Amino acid sequence: LSESVLDMSHFATIDGDGVSSNVDAHVIYDTRDQMLRIDVDGSGAGAEVLVFALTGTSTAINYDDILLFRDT
């Protein structure tokens, strides 16, 4: 397996105001419900896929917390 960190241009957060920090992102972390979702096409037109939900208070993640693996 090869490993890499998610590129920050593909990551977005949605804060309390409901506005995305990057409208073209594929990986979205919503701070309101602490859910990480994948938007396959990056357009928001299709359904997002829930990857996981974090629990606890003040839980936050950033793009460099996400590792991607590829079977080579």
Side-chain angles (χ1 to χ4, degrees):
L1 291 175
S2 64
E3 172 186 318
S4 64
V5 174
L6 179 69
D7 186 291
M8 68 184 281
S9 68
H10 298 291
F11 183 78
T13 56
I14 298 175
D15 291 324
D17 59 5
V19 176
S20 174
S21 63
N22 177 357
V23 296
D24 297 321
H26 293 273
V27 180
I28 302 107
Y29 177 63
D30 192 331
T31 62
R32 299 170 300 174
D33 58 11
Q34 297 184 347
M35 304 239 180
L36 184 80
R37 296 178 176 91
I38 300 292
D39 179 357
V40 177
D41 64 5
S43 72
E48 295 175 346
V49 177
L50 177 64
V51 177
F52 63 79
L54 299 174
T55 59
T57 58
S58 300
T59 305
I61 61 172
N62 201 356
Y63 76 93
D64 55 356
D65 294 322
I66 300 170
L67 294 178
L68 305 174
F69 294 91
R70 186 174 119 190
D71 190 7
T72 53

